[in-house]
Amino acid sequence: MAKVFEWLIIFGILQGVFLLLIILSNHKLRHRKNRYLIWMILFLTIGQTGRFSYVEFLNGGNPTWMGIADIVIYTLPVTYFLYLKDQFNNKLKLINLLHFIPALVQGGFIVLGLLNPNENIRASFQTEDAQRLFRIFMAIGILYHLVYYVSSIILTKKFFGKITNRLSFQVENKYYVRFLTLLGLGYLFWIYYYIRGVFFNYASILDYGMFWGALSLTICFIAYSLLQNPNQFYLEETLEKYSSSKLKKADISRLKKQLELLMLEQRPYLNTKLTRKDIAKMTQISEPDVSRIVNEGFGYNFFEWVNYYRVKDFMERVESKLNSNLTLYGVAQESGFGSKSTFYKAFRDITGKTPTEYFGK
């Protein structure tokens, strides 16, 4: 089992290096709003490297690498808290660097004890009293992490709640929720390790490895999110797009009905090449406003919205036996789908099943 976490940590290190190269080589990604993300990934990668090196050289009894990892890890809660704060359009000032003071104090204790070149001083930190003090410092460190973790959750909830009230639209927050969930999983493992060590006088290296494994998963998740949907890292642009719109909530409600009537009566979705520009021309609504109405009014992006009506039309055709001489995909083409993969994905997203499973064919 320990080997699994070792390989996970190695993978996390490689993902961290990969992420840093991608972000630093992309001008748009390395803009001001992602500066703390860069620091966070850097700290996590250094910490993972220190952790792996400590495990590999454990037989030599050299705690230096673990000390480096512990120093770095105490900067983590501040960097992800400031990263979220920066993302959510809070202007950061130089005074925010004061958040790093507890991490520096903790790091100083580790340097003084574990990494001190004087053997006598290092030996003094192996006494029972020193170990008791170390456990107290670790408890304070865990509490320090949890304070910033809870603050980050509150900050995220308040931000998205505020945006929802202002825009009548829930800006995508899955990335942030999953990011915080993975961090929370790591903290649960850390607390478990601490309780086992202090109250039951037993804590294996595997217990603490689970904490580092969760941090590796966090790095991998960020890399996956960046590849899957880079727009999640440009939250500022999304907010600017919506905040610059002149439509009011009442306008959105009224124009939503207009778009719904258009789709039901004229059925433009039957056109496999339908674009947002086509809808804008048919309704005399600007393209950006069409997007906002669809996003806020229906909760879809434009193509999801169009495909919703295509799936609905498809289901009506199959249930009414219309085009019964055609295959299911043939009927889907009649409903406006131009791609089999798009049809199957849209149908599954809406119904949770494939067409064959749904209709028993």
Side-chain angles (χ1 to χ4, degrees):
M1 189 65 178
K3 280 292 181 183
V4 173
F5 286 105
E6 282 186 44
W7 282 109
L8 186 57
I9 289 172
I10 292 173
F11 190 61
I13 293 170
L14 294 175
Q15 287 293 302
V17 173
F18 166 74
L19 264 174
L20 288 171
L21 290 174
I22 291 295
I23 294 174
L24 292 174
S25 63
N26 186 306
H27 174 72
K28 194 175 181 182
L29 277 172
R30 68 171 185 266
H31 69 81
R32 186 181 66 84
K33 287 294 181 181
N34 283 323
R35 59 187 172 180
Y36 285 105
L37 174 65
I38 295 170
W39 283 109
M40 182 181 69
I41 295 169
L42 178 62
F43 290 152
L44 277 172
T45 304
I46 294 173
Q48 296 279 24
T49 304
R51 170 66 189 175
F52 175 74
S53 300
Y54 171 70
V55 171
E56 285 299 299
F57 300 114
L58 186 59
N59 293 331
N62 187 349
T64 302
W65 285 106
M66 194 63 224
I68 292 172
D70 281 344
I71 291 172
V72 168
I73 210 61
Y74 282 102
T75 65
L76 174 63
V78 177
T79 49
Y80 71 66
F81 175 73
L82 294 180
Y83 161 58
L84 293 173
K85 200 169 184 180
D86 210 17
Q87 281 284 298
F88 300 157
N89 224 17
N90 289 279
K91 292 184 178 179
L92 298 181
K93 300 177 182 178
L94 195 60
I95 196 171
N96 285 284
L97 296 178
L98 294 177
H99 287 283
F100 285 99
I101 289 178
L104 293 175
V105 172
Q106 190 79 14
F109 174 76
I110 293 171
V111 170
L112 181 63
L114 295 178
L115 307 184
N116 198 301
N118 188 308
E119 290 185 9
N120 292 327
I121 293 178
R122 285 207 310 272
S124 69
F125 272 78
Q126 302 302 316
T127 65
E128 183 62 32
D129 288 341
Q131 288 300 306
R132 191 179 297 114
L133 183 62
F134 178 77
R135 287 194 288 270
I136 292 172
F137 261 84
M138 181 177 281
I140 294 172
I142 292 174
L143 183 62
Y144 165 70
H145 273 257
L146 292 180
V147 166
Y148 277 96
Y149 179 68
V150 173
S151 298
S152 297
I153 292 174
I154 293 172
L155 180 70
T156 304
K157 287 186 71 174
K158 287 177 77 172
F159 171 76
F160 284 103
K162 180 180 177 182
I163 290 301
T164 299
N165 292 333
R166 195 176 76 191
L167 301 175
S168 72
F169 170 68
Q170 184 67 47
V171 177
E172 185 61 59
N173 66 352
K174 289 180 182 178
Y175 162 72
Y176 299 98
V177 171
R178 290 167 181 169
F179 168 73
L180 289 170
T181 300
L182 285 171
L183 287 174
L185 180 65
Y187 289 144
L188 285 176
F189 288 141
W190 192 6
I191 293 170
Y192 172 71
Y193 166 79
Y194 181 79
I195 291 174
R196 290 235 297 177
V198 172
F199 297 101
F200 299 97
N201 201 29
Y202 174 78
S204 70
I205 200 74
L206 175 62
D207 294 337
Y208 201 37
M210 292 163 71
F211 165 67
W212 286 95
L215 295 185
S216 286
L217 287 176
T218 303
I219 295 178
C220 295
F221 169 71
I222 295 172
Y224 168 77
S225 300
L226 178 61
L227 293 175
Q228 185 190 48
N229 184 11
N231 291 327
Q232 294 174 112
F233 295 83
Y234 310 134
L235 184 60
E236 185 179 21
E237 293 183 7
T238 302
L239 297 181
E240 288 177 355
K241 179 180 74 173
Y242 285 113
S243 61
S244 62
S245 173
K246 296 180 181 179
L247 290 178
K248 298 178 181 178
K249 289 186 178 182
D251 296 326
I252 292 171
S253 180
R254 174 177 55 81
L255 294 172
K256 174 189 173 183
K257 293 177 181 177
Q258 182 181 340
L259 288 182
E260 195 167 24
L261 197 63
L262 171 74
M263 298 299 272
L264 293 175
E265 292 185 350
Q266 298 187 36
R267 302 199 296 173
Y269 55 81
L270 296 179
N271 175 8
T272 58
K273 303 294 185 181
L274 182 68
T275 64
R276 187 180 62 175
K277 186 175 182 180
D278 296 328
I279 295 293
K281 283 183 179 179
M282 296 172 76
T283 58
Q284 299 302 303
I285 301 172
S286 70
E287 287 187 56
D289 283 343
V290 167
S291 288
R292 186 178 173 192
I293 295 162
V294 169
N295 290 341
E296 297 190 19
F298 295 93
Y300 295 121
N301 63 39
F302 180 75
F303 289 104
E304 288 172 342
W305 175 65
V306 172
N307 285 336
Y308 165 78
Y309 283 98
R310 287 172 176 162
V311 168
K312 190 176 178 181
D313 183 86
F314 165 80
M315 295 175 73
E316 288 174 357
R317 287 172 183 267
V318 173
E319 289 170 353
S320 66
K321 307 299 182 182
L322 190 65
N323 306 119
S324 58
N325 60 317
L326 298 175
T327 63
L328 289 177
Y329 177 57
V331 178
Q333 288 178 301
E334 293 295 314
S335 297
F337 284 103
S339 162
K340 197 173 197 176
S341 59
T342 301
F343 162 57
Y344 274 90
K345 183 180 184 307
F347 192 92
R348 182 183 282 276
D349 287 346
I350 292 170
T351 67
K353 297 181 179 181
T354 66
T356 303
E357 291 170 342
Y358 189 88
F359 291 105
K361 294 186 178 183

